[in-house]
Tab-separated table of all heavy atoms in Angstrom:
chain	number	residue	atom	x	y	z
C	224	ASP	N	0.834	-1.198	0.011
C	224	ASP	CA	0.014	0.003	-0.020
C	224	ASP	C	0.855	1.257	0.030
C	224	ASP	O	0.435	2.271	-0.547
C	224	ASP	CB	-0.928	-0.001	1.233
C	224	ASP	CG	-1.976	-1.104	1.131
C	224	ASP	OD1	-2.207	-1.610	0.042
C	224	ASP	OD2	-2.531	-1.459	2.221
C	225	ASN	N	2.042	1.205	0.607
C	225	ASN	CA	2.971	2.358	0.664
C	225	ASN	C	4.367	1.914	0.207
C	225	ASN	O	5.242	1.665	1.019
C	225	ASN	CB	3.034	2.938	2.083
C	225	ASN	CG	1.668	3.385	2.592
C	225	ASN	OD1	1.074	4.288	2.048
C	225	ASN	ND2	1.195	2.747	3.632
C	226	PRO	N	4.498	1.776	-1.098
C	226	PRO	CA	5.810	1.265	-1.590
C	226	PRO	C	7.008	2.246	-1.292
C	226	PRO	O	8.158	1.773	-1.215
C	226	PRO	CB	5.591	1.163	-3.099
C	226	PRO	CG	4.462	2.071	-3.394
C	226	PRO	CD	3.604	2.091	-2.153
C	227	ASN	N	6.749	3.509	-1.166
C	227	ASN	CA	7.844	4.459	-0.863
C	227	ASN	C	8.235	4.536	0.600
C	227	ASN	O	9.223	5.174	0.941
C	227	ASN	CB	7.454	5.864	-1.381
C	227	ASN	CG	7.238	5.889	-2.884
C	227	ASN	OD1	7.964	5.202	-3.650
C	227	ASN	ND2	6.264	6.705	-3.352
C	228	GLU	N	7.461	3.916	1.438
C	228	GLU	CA	7.770	3.938	2.873
C	228	GLU	C	8.997	3.113	3.200
C	228	GLU	O	9.133	2.035	2.713
C	228	GLU	CB	6.542	3.488	3.646
C	228	GLU	CG	6.721	3.595	5.186
C	228	GLU	CD	5.534	3.077	5.945
C	228	GLU	OE1	4.573	2.651	5.293
C	228	GLU	OE2	5.583	3.089	7.193
C	229	GLY	N	9.860	3.685	3.976
C	229	GLY	CA	11.029	3.002	4.403
C	229	GLY	C	12.270	3.243	3.570
C	229	GLY	O	13.318	2.687	3.886
C	230	LYS	N	12.179	4.098	2.555
C	230	LYS	CA	13.356	4.384	1.753
C	230	LYS	C	14.385	5.186	2.542
C	230	LYS	O	15.578	5.130	2.345
C	230	LYS	CB	12.970	5.159	0.506
C	230	LYS	CG	12.198	4.287	-0.480
C	230	LYS	CD	11.961	5.088	-1.786
C	230	LYS	CE	11.319	4.192	-2.805
C	230	LYS	NZ	10.993	4.981	-4.081
C	231	ASN	N	13.880	6.017	3.515
C	231	ASN	CA	14.759	6.837	4.300
C	231	ASN	C	15.024	6.233	5.676
C	231	ASN	O	15.218	6.972	6.654
C	231	ASN	CB	14.171	8.239	4.479
C	231	ASN	CG	13.987	8.963	3.111
C	231	ASN	OD1	14.846	8.807	2.259
C	231	ASN	ND2	12.907	9.712	2.992
C	232	GLN	N	14.983	4.907	5.763
C	232	GLN	CA	15.234	4.258	7.078
C	232	GLN	C	16.675	4.468	7.453
C	232	GLN	O	17.616	4.527	6.601
C	232	GLN	CB	14.927	2.752	6.953
C	232	GLN	CG	13.443	2.458	6.822
C	232	GLN	CD	13.208	0.955	6.784
C	232	GLN	OE1	14.115	0.179	6.678
C	232	GLN	NE2	11.911	0.579	6.824
C	233	ILE	N	16.895	4.466	8.779
C	233	ILE	CA	18.264	4.629	9.290
C	233	ILE	C	18.988	3.290	9.169
C	233	ILE	O	18.368	2.251	8.984
C	233	ILE	CB	18.236	5.125	10.749
C	233	ILE	CG1	17.527	4.055	11.628
C	233	ILE	CG2	17.560	6.479	10.879
C	233	ILE	CD1	17.552	4.416	13.083
C	234	SER	N	20.266	3.344	9.322
C	234	SER	CA	21.114	2.177	9.128
C	234	SER	C	21.014	1.227	10.366
C	234	SER	O	20.556	1.638	11.435
C	234	SER	CB	22.589	2.580	8.904
C	234	SER	OG	23.077	3.201	10.064
C	235	ASP	N	21.499	0.027	10.153
C	235	ASP	CA	21.517	-0.983	11.228
C	235	ASP	C	22.480	-0.539	12.338
C	235	ASP	O	22.277	-0.890	13.483
C	235	ASP	CB	21.922	-2.341	10.669
C	235	ASP	CG	20.904	-2.919	9.759
C	235	ASP	OD1	19.697	-2.526	9.866
C	235	ASP	OD2	21.234	-3.822	8.949
C	236	GLU	N	23.513	0.188	11.996
C	236	GLU	CA	24.460	0.647	12.983
C	236	GLU	C	23.821	1.567	13.969
C	236	GLU	O	24.034	1.528	15.215
C	236	GLU	CB	25.638	1.342	12.297
C	236	GLU	CG	26.721	1.802	13.279
C	236	GLU	CD	27.878	2.508	12.555
C	236	GLU	OE1	27.833	2.599	11.315
C	236	GLU	OE2	28.824	2.944	13.266
C	237	VAL	N	22.939	2.479	13.475
C	237	VAL	CA	22.246	3.431	14.347
C	237	VAL	C	21.273	2.664	15.262
C	237	VAL	O	21.184	2.933	16.461
C	237	VAL	CB	21.506	4.468	13.542
C	237	VAL	CG1	20.692	5.374	14.455
C	237	VAL	CG2	22.489	5.275	12.731
C	238	LYS	N	20.581	1.634	14.697
C	238	LYS	CA	19.701	0.834	15.512
C	238	LYS	C	20.441	0.120	16.586
C	238	LYS	O	19.981	0.002	17.735
C	238	LYS	CB	18.896	-0.114	14.650
C	238	LYS	CG	17.903	0.553	13.746
C	238	LYS	CD	16.979	-0.473	13.042
C	238	LYS	CE	17.728	-1.238	12.006
C	238	LYS	NZ	16.853	-2.133	11.257
C	239	PHE	N	21.606	-0.395	16.272
C	239	PHE	CA	22.428	-1.111	17.248
C	239	PHE	C	22.878	-0.123	18.360
C	239	PHE	O	22.894	-0.548	19.519
C	239	PHE	CB	23.642	-1.756	16.605
C	239	PHE	CG	24.583	-2.446	17.537
C	239	PHE	CD1	24.238	-3.638	18.124
C	239	PHE	CD2	25.749	-1.818	17.890
C	239	PHE	CE1	25.106	-4.274	19.006
C	239	PHE	CE2	26.616	-2.415	18.803
C	239	PHE	CZ	26.278	-3.645	19.359
C	240	ASN	N	23.231	1.084	17.960
C	240	ASN	CA	23.643	2.074	18.989
C	240	ASN	C	22.532	2.409	19.966
C	240	ASN	O	22.772	2.532	21.182
C	240	ASN	CB	24.141	3.352	18.340
C	240	ASN	CG	25.452	3.142	17.553
C	240	ASN	OD1	26.231	2.257	17.911
C	240	ASN	ND2	25.690	3.913	16.531
C	241	VAL	N	21.275	2.460	19.425
C	241	VAL	CA	20.133	2.741	20.343
C	241	VAL	C	19.952	1.555	21.270
C	241	VAL	O	19.758	1.754	22.474
C	241	VAL	CB	18.862	3.002	19.467
C	241	VAL	CG1	17.624	3.050	20.367
C	241	VAL	CG2	19.012	4.259	18.673
C	242	PHE	N	19.972	0.372	20.727
C	242	PHE	CA	19.823	-0.851	21.547
C	242	PHE	C	20.936	-0.945	22.625
C	242	PHE	O	20.678	-1.282	23.750
C	242	PHE	CB	19.792	-2.092	20.664
C	242	PHE	CG	19.684	-3.370	21.363
C	242	PHE	CD1	18.455	-3.798	21.882
C	242	PHE	CD2	20.788	-4.167	21.589
C	242	PHE	CE1	18.340	-4.969	22.576
C	242	PHE	CE2	20.695	-5.361	22.294
C	242	PHE	CZ	19.435	-5.763	22.793
C	243	GLN	N	22.163	-0.674	22.176
C	243	GLN	CA	23.286	-0.746	23.084
C	243	GLN	C	23.129	0.264	24.233
C	243	GLN	O	23.424	-0.025	25.373
C	243	GLN	CB	24.610	-0.510	22.326
C	243	GLN	CG	25.823	-0.680	23.213
C	243	GLN	CD	27.134	-0.474	22.426
C	243	GLN	OE1	27.107	0.114	21.292
C	243	GLN	NE2	28.241	-0.856	22.986
C	244	GLY	N	22.669	1.489	23.903
C	244	GLY	CA	22.552	2.508	24.903
C	244	GLY	C	21.474	2.083	25.951
C	244	GLY	O	21.659	2.262	27.154
C	245	ILE	N	20.382	1.502	25.454
C	245	ILE	CA	19.324	1.059	26.411
C	245	ILE	C	19.822	-0.078	27.297
C	245	ILE	O	19.625	-0.058	28.534
C	245	ILE	CB	18.051	0.621	25.603
C	245	ILE	CG1	17.459	1.801	24.851
C	245	ILE	CG2	17.029	0.018	26.545
C	245	ILE	CD1	16.369	1.395	23.870
C	246	MET	N	20.506	-1.048	26.702
C	246	MET	CA	21.009	-2.158	27.462
C	246	MET	C	22.101	-1.765	28.444
C	246	MET	O	22.179	-2.258	29.589
C	246	MET	CB	21.573	-3.235	26.527
C	246	MET	CG	20.490	-3.942	25.661
C	246	MET	SD	19.243	-4.828	26.675
C	246	MET	CE	17.852	-3.686	26.545
C	247	ASP	N	22.970	-0.806	28.062
C	247	ASP	CA	24.024	-0.346	28.982
C	247	ASP	C	23.388	0.312	30.213
C	247	ASP	O	23.862	0.112	31.343
C	247	ASP	CB	24.926	0.640	28.251
C	247	ASP	CG	25.845	-0.069	27.245
C	247	ASP	OD1	25.963	-1.307	27.391
C	247	ASP	OD2	26.412	0.627	26.367
C	248	SER	N	22.331	1.131	30.001
C	248	SER	CA	21.709	1.770	31.132
C	248	SER	C	21.039	0.771	32.075
C	248	SER	O	21.140	0.857	33.285
C	248	SER	CB	20.644	2.764	30.562
C	248	SER	OG	19.989	3.414	31.652
C	249	LEU	N	20.395	-0.185	31.452
C	249	LEU	CA	19.761	-1.274	32.303
C	249	LEU	C	20.795	-2.074	33.006
C	249	LEU	O	20.639	-2.475	34.202
C	249	LEU	CB	18.887	-2.162	31.440
C	249	LEU	CG	17.615	-1.490	30.867
C	249	LEU	CD1	16.880	-2.473	29.935
C	249	LEU	CD2	16.679	-1.126	32.043
C	250	PHE	N	21.878	-2.413	32.340
C	250	PHE	CA	22.923	-3.247	32.993
C	250	PHE	C	23.578	-2.501	34.118
C	250	PHE	O	23.939	-3.142	35.169
C	250	PHE	CB	23.960	-3.657	31.964
C	250	PHE	CG	25.031	-4.559	32.566
C	250	PHE	CD1	24.776	-5.886	32.887
C	250	PHE	CD2	26.314	-3.992	32.854
C	250	PHE	CE1	25.768	-6.644	33.491
C	250	PHE	CE2	27.312	-4.769	33.379
C	250	PHE	CZ	27.058	-6.120	33.712
C	251	GLN	N	23.732	-1.252	34.018
C	251	GLN	CA	24.339	-0.463	35.113
C	251	GLN	C	23.502	-0.561	36.403
C	251	GLN	O	24.024	-0.805	37.470
C	251	GLN	CB	24.565	0.978	34.678
C	251	GLN	CG	25.619	1.193	33.650
C	251	GLN	CD	25.730	2.649	33.175
C	251	GLN	OE1	25.015	3.527	33.698
C	251	GLN	NE2	26.599	2.922	32.239
C	252	SER	N	22.194	-0.385	36.234
C	252	SER	CA	21.337	-0.487	37.411
C	252	SER	C	21.251	-1.950	37.886
C	252	SER	O	21.217	-2.244	39.062
C	252	SER	CB	19.954	0.035	37.082
C	252	SER	OG	19.325	-0.751	36.003
C	253	PHE	N	21.263	-2.872	36.932
C	253	PHE	CA	21.215	-4.317	37.317
C	253	PHE	C	22.472	-4.720	38.088
C	253	PHE	O	22.388	-5.390	39.124
C	253	PHE	CB	21.088	-5.174	36.041
C	253	PHE	CG	21.054	-6.669	36.313
C	253	PHE	CD1	19.820	-7.278	36.577
C	253	PHE	CD2	22.175	-7.418	36.294
C	253	PHE	CE1	19.774	-8.612	36.844
C	253	PHE	CE2	22.147	-8.797	36.479
C	253	PHE	CZ	20.918	-9.400	36.776
C	254	ASN	N	23.603	-4.289	37.615
C	254	ASN	CA	24.880	-4.644	38.288
C	254	ASN	C	24.954	-3.991	39.654
C	254	ASN	O	25.580	-4.590	40.580
C	254	ASN	CB	26.062	-4.198	37.414
C	254	ASN	CG	27.359	-4.754	37.902
C	254	ASN	OD1	27.424	-5.845	38.441
C	254	ASN	ND2	28.473	-3.944	37.739
C	255	ALA	N	24.374	-2.844	39.795
C	255	ALA	CA	24.455	-2.168	41.113
C	255	ALA	C	23.433	-2.692	42.114
C	255	ALA	O	23.621	-2.545	43.334
C	255	ALA	CB	24.268	-0.635	40.895
C	256	SER	N	22.366	-3.329	41.618
C	256	SER	CA	21.282	-3.720	42.512
C	256	SER	C	21.273	-5.219	42.817
C	256	SER	O	20.684	-5.621	43.818
C	256	SER	CB	19.935	-3.297	41.920
C	256	SER	OG	19.891	-1.926	41.668
C	257	VAL	N	21.761	-6.045	41.940
C	257	VAL	CA	21.598	-7.488	42.021
C	257	VAL	C	22.894	-8.138	42.559
C	257	VAL	O	23.970	-7.857	42.091
C	257	VAL	CB	21.222	-8.133	40.655
C	257	VAL	CG1	21.146	-9.645	40.767
C	257	VAL	CG2	19.916	-7.513	40.169
C	258	SER	N	22.704	-8.978	43.567
C	258	SER	CA	23.823	-9.724	44.138
C	258	SER	C	23.708	-11.211	43.701
C	258	SER	O	22.634	-11.751	43.614
C	258	SER	CB	23.744	-9.635	45.668
C	258	SER	OG	24.762	-10.494	46.231
C	259	VAL	N	24.911	-11.763	43.405
C	259	VAL	CA	24.904	-13.158	42.916
C	259	VAL	C	25.610	-14.054	43.946
C	259	VAL	O	26.221	-15.060	43.610
C	259	VAL	CB	25.614	-13.255	41.582
C	259	VAL	CG1	24.795	-12.571	40.500
C	259	VAL	CG2	27.020	-12.632	41.640
C	260	THR	N	25.534	-13.721	45.240
C	260	THR	CA	26.157	-14.520	46.269
C	260	THR	C	25.545	-15.914	46.319
C	260	THR	O	26.229	-16.935	46.462
C	260	THR	CB	26.040	-13.853	47.646
C	260	THR	OG1	26.563	-12.547	47.537
C	260	THR	CG2	26.756	-14.636	48.730
C	261	SER	N	24.208	-16.021	46.209
C	261	SER	CA	23.528	-17.303	46.203
C	261	SER	C	22.314	-17.183	45.261
C	261	SER	O	21.893	-16.069	44.930
C	261	SER	CB	23.032	-17.655	47.649
C	261	SER	OG	22.069	-16.724	48.097
C	262	PHE	N	21.791	-18.350	44.933
C	262	PHE	CA	20.649	-18.360	44.001
C	262	PHE	C	19.417	-17.690	44.634
C	262	PHE	O	18.699	-16.975	43.986
C	262	PHE	CB	20.275	-19.752	43.559
C	262	PHE	CG	19.174	-19.847	42.614
C	262	PHE	CD1	19.378	-19.557	41.249
C	262	PHE	CD2	17.915	-20.165	43.001
C	262	PHE	CE1	18.353	-19.605	40.314
C	262	PHE	CE2	16.881	-20.240	42.117
C	262	PHE	CZ	17.088	-19.950	40.761
C	263	GLN	N	19.234	-17.940	45.939
C	263	GLN	CA	18.147	-17.328	46.639
C	263	GLN	C	18.229	-15.802	46.651
C	263	GLN	O	17.274	-15.092	46.390
C	263	GLN	CB	18.045	-17.889	48.069
C	263	GLN	CG	16.828	-17.379	48.834
C	263	GLN	CD	16.765	-18.007	50.197
C	263	GLN	OE1	17.644	-18.819	50.585
C	263	GLN	NE2	15.715	-17.654	50.985
C	264	GLU	N	19.451	-15.311	46.936
C	264	GLU	CA	19.673	-13.874	46.917
C	264	GLU	C	19.509	-13.266	45.560
C	264	GLU	O	18.994	-12.172	45.336
C	264	GLU	CB	21.020	-13.584	47.519
C	264	GLU	CG	21.258	-12.074	47.778
C	264	GLU	CD	22.586	-11.821	48.493
C	264	GLU	OE1	23.266	-12.825	48.849
C	264	GLU	OE2	22.958	-10.662	48.636
């Protein structure tokens, strides 16, 4: 229905940078909050 849609899509590198930024932010809070001393903890 919209054959011209998507011609100006951003590159995969930019999408990866967005994903990496989100995961880095989550991992920082995860690493600071989660302890792996035991499975229960």
Side-chain angles (χ1 to χ4, degrees):
D224 293 340
N225 300 297
N227 296 324
E228 184 180 359
K230 289 184 177 180
N231 298 322
Q232 291 182 351
I233 61 176
S234 64
D235 293 337
E236 182 180 359
V237 174
K238 290 189 291 185
F239 177 76
N240 291 333
V241 172
F242 178 77
Q243 184 180 16
I245 296 171
M246 292 300 104
D247 287 342
S248 178
L249 290 174
F250 180 74
Q251 290 176 4
S252 62
F253 180 86
N254 190 35
S256 304
V257 177
S258 174
V259 293
T260 305
S261 64
F262 182 78
Q263 184 177 2
E264 188 175 356

